[in-house]
Amino acid sequence: MENLFADRVHPETASRLAGLFPVMDYDDAIKFTAGAPAENLFPSDEMKQAYLAAMAAEGDHTFQYHTVEGPYELRERLAKRARERMKITDAKPENVMLTAGGQQGIDLVAKLLLNKGDAMVVEAPTYVGALASFDMYEPTYYEVNLEADGMAIDQLETLLRAHPDIKFLYTVADFHNPGGVTLSLAKRQRLVELANQYDFMILEDTPYRDLRYVGESLPTIKSFDTEGRVIFLSSFSKVLMPALRLGWLVADEKVLKQLYKLKEGADLEVPNLTAAAVNNFLANNSLDDHIAKLNQEYLIRQQAMLKAIATYMPEGVTATKPEGGFFTWVTVPESINTTDLLYNEATPNQHIAYVPSKNFYAYKDHTNGMRLNFTGLTPAQIDDGMKRLGTLLADRLTKVIN
Ligand SMILES: Cc1ncc(COP(=O)(O)O)c(C=O)c1O
């Protein structure tokens, strides 16, 4: 029967997202794996109230089909947020589209732009869920390395000169998943210049953007857009709750018109009950106050992670220094395969888990990196887990040298 499946699903290949988080049931297990926000910080009571109000608002009609666009009032709020917080000064409600999580935004944009074999650029490493979506459109990937201030823009320019058919670039500009780094202001401006010069579209994916613990926020790439080439994508998953499955994007009206066509084909409508509930939540609570609370707590965990890196990582091991978001990226000498290390030593012996680098690369060809989450653990757990990881790496490196 599998011969009937479309080529794009490659039944012989596991999903990139499968097995990312190893199962580990030890009492003293410490998991640096999750990309999930801290549950104890969810505004659960306020959200329940917002849902109850949404359910009561229109009687039986509440539960009827509504529209693909969702509530205008919510899009109005988000357009205001885009103007004020994202510096997308011309954003109107008509430029805002609600999606089923940021993930659907990624998928719809890929569907909009990619024919089989089309040339696109991703960062190396990049968000594994985006690759899981892009893979289904069978593009030709070109990779740009990540540097401490975001993607290597000179390398990108060299690529664009060599491959003028590149039509799409995907970037996580703020507190990269998995890299932890943030694209500098100068690179943001240069990226838009390059898009205009070499004629490609940019998807700026920013679920972590509001979660900045130190330093000043940078203008979005979209804020420099002069030709409607940038699609800005955000999500409520990390700043409110992932189960809402609500994301939003800002794009030119002619881009949105086609994205709506694709969304109707995919799922007909925004989950209007959730959209109404989130609109109520935003009307009755300050999202920015909630984010400030999250940032206060996450800052403590980020500081614990930076301290633990400085204390426990042996020579030859490097880690990025995130100013926000959920992750730091650790690079170890090429002699160490982080997938083997995870399953043969880190989980069974040290009872620690991380996400190994392989699936974060388009061609799965980098095996000496790991993603560490720091927002899901207490400072004491971070310290303990990083001590175990440091000991393990130091031991492995000594063995290699001898
Ligand atoms: C960079 C990035 N983009 C998009 C998503 C998708 O998030 P959601 O669909 O929950 O909004 C995630 C989730 O981890 C992410 O890290």
Side-chain angles (χ1 to χ4, degrees):
M1 182 193 58
E2 286 186 355
N3 62 327
L4 301 178
F5 296 169
D7 293 345
R8 72 176 74 89
V9 300
H10 298 284
E12 71 291 352
T13 311
S15 158
R16 279 183 189 267
L17 295 161
L20 270 192
F21 303 161
V23 181
M24 196 174 49
D25 285 333
Y26 309 105
D27 287 343
D28 64 343
I30 296 181
K31 298 177 189 172
F32 292 106
T33 39
E39 263 170 48
N40 65 323
L41 300 173
F42 286 162
S44 303
D45 290 340
E46 293 84 348
M47 193 56 78
K48 278 180 210 157
Q49 287 307 319
Y51 265 97
L52 287 174
M55 283 192 268
E58 294 181 275
D60 290 342
H61 185 64
T62 305
F63 300 98
Q64 186 53 278
Y65 283 113
H66 285 265
T67 60
V68 66
E69 295 94 351
Y72 188 79
E73 207 179 308
L74 177 57
R75 286 179 288 126
E76 220 169 13
R77 283 182 205 289
L78 295 173
K80 183 164 181 279
R81 191 164 184 81
R83 290 192 301 273
E84 291 172 0
R85 298 269 318 204
M86 317 304 174
K87 308 292 175 234
I88 308 171
T89 48
D90 55 356
K92 299 186 296 292
E94 289 72 21
N95 300 114
V96 175
M97 177 180 187
L98 302 170
T99 58
Q103 187 66 29
Q104 188 187 40
I106 294 170
D107 194 56
L108 293 179
V109 171
K111 206 173 198 175
L112 175 76
L113 297 175
L114 294 173
N115 293 312
K116 184 175 178 174
D118 277 356
M120 73 169 296
V121 173
V122 291
E123 288 149 335
T126 189
Y127 168 50
V128 60
L131 288 175
S133 170
F134 300 149
D135 283 352
M136 294 302 131
Y137 301 95
E138 302 177 279
T140 303
Y141 290 115
Y142 293 99
E143 295 183 307
V144 190
N145 293 335
L146 275 188
E147 299 173 334
D149 62 348
M151 81 175 85
I153 210 92
D154 294 340
Q155 191 193 355
L156 172 64
E157 191 162 4
T158 306
L159 264 180
L160 292 166
R161 262 193 242 114
H163 306 282
D165 58 332
I166 287 172
K167 62 191 299 194
F168 175 31
L169 178 143
Y170 169 75
T171 178
V172 184
D174 299 284
F175 320 122
H176 197 275
N177 177 7
V181 298
T182 293
L183 192 68
S184 68
L185 180 62
K187 285 186 174 180
R188 286 169 195 242
Q189 288 169 307
R190 183 78 191 119
L191 185 55
V192 173
E193 284 168 13
L194 290 174
N196 291 346
Q197 185 181 345
Y198 289 94
D199 188 22
F200 61 93
M201 298 283 292
I202 298 170
L203 175 57
E204 178 184 20
D205 184 15
T206 71
Y208 306 98
R209 180 178 163 80
D210 289 326
L211 302 174
R212 175 177 275 283
Y213 318 133
V214 291
E216 290 297 314
S217 188
L218 295 174
T220 56
I221 300 169
K222 177 74 179 156
S223 70
F224 299 111
D225 187 14
T226 50
E227 299 183 0
R229 293 177 177 279
V230 184
I231 299 169
F232 170 86
L233 176 63
S234 183
S235 167
F236 288 108
S237 288
K238 314 295 176 176
V239 292
L240 285 179
M241 300 146 156
L244 299 169
R245 307 309 307 131
L246 201 62
W248 55 286
L249 57 79
V250 181
D252 237 46
E253 281 182 63
K254 62 176 179 294
V255 174
L256 274 200
K257 194 168 164 199
Q258 302 312 317
L259 286 175
Y260 275 126
K261 201 157 82 184
L262 297 171
K263 183 166 170 61
E264 280 174 330
D267 61 359
L268 286 187
E269 294 196 345
V270 163
N272 273 283
L273 185 57
T274 294
V278 170
N279 184 51
N280 288 344
F281 177 92
L282 297 176
N284 297 315
N285 302 275
S286 162
L287 180 61
D288 288 333
D289 285 356
H290 176 66
I291 290 171
K293 217 167 76 184
L294 296 179
N295 288 350
Q296 214 175 9
E297 181 56 37
Y298 288 156
L299 167 68
I300 297 168
R301 302 176 191 204
Q302 176 249 17
Q303 301 280 304
M305 179 52 101
L306 295 185
K307 185 164 167 232
I309 288 168
T311 313
Y312 301 121
M313 288 302 108
E315 205 160 313
V317 174
T318 57
T320 55
K321 295 193 171 55
E323 296 188 325
F326 280 13
F327 309 108
T328 180
W329 181 256
V330 171
T331 306
V332 300
E334 284 185 9
S335 57
I336 297 179
N337 178 315
T338 51
T339 304
D340 294 346
L341 187 77
L342 176 70
Y343 290 103
N344 299 338
E345 297 182 56
T347 48
N349 302 336
Q350 299 292 334
H351 302 179
I352 53 172
Y354 53 80
V355 186
S357 51
K358 201 170 116 189
N359 282 355
F360 294 110
Y361 288 85
Y363 296 102
K364 303 185 184 176
D365 54 357
H366 281 64
T367 53
N368 66 322
M370 61 178 80
R371 187 188 80 176
L372 301 180
N373 167 276
F374 54 82
T375 46
L377 300 167
T378 64
Q381 287 173 316
I382 292 170
D383 184 77
D384 185 2
M386 290 300 283
K387 190 172 180 180
R388 293 187 219 170
L389 180 63
T391 308
L392 176 62
L393 290 173
D395 178 56
R396 267 309 209 85
L397 289 168
T398 325
K399 278 190 193 145
V400 171
I401 291 164
N402 295 329

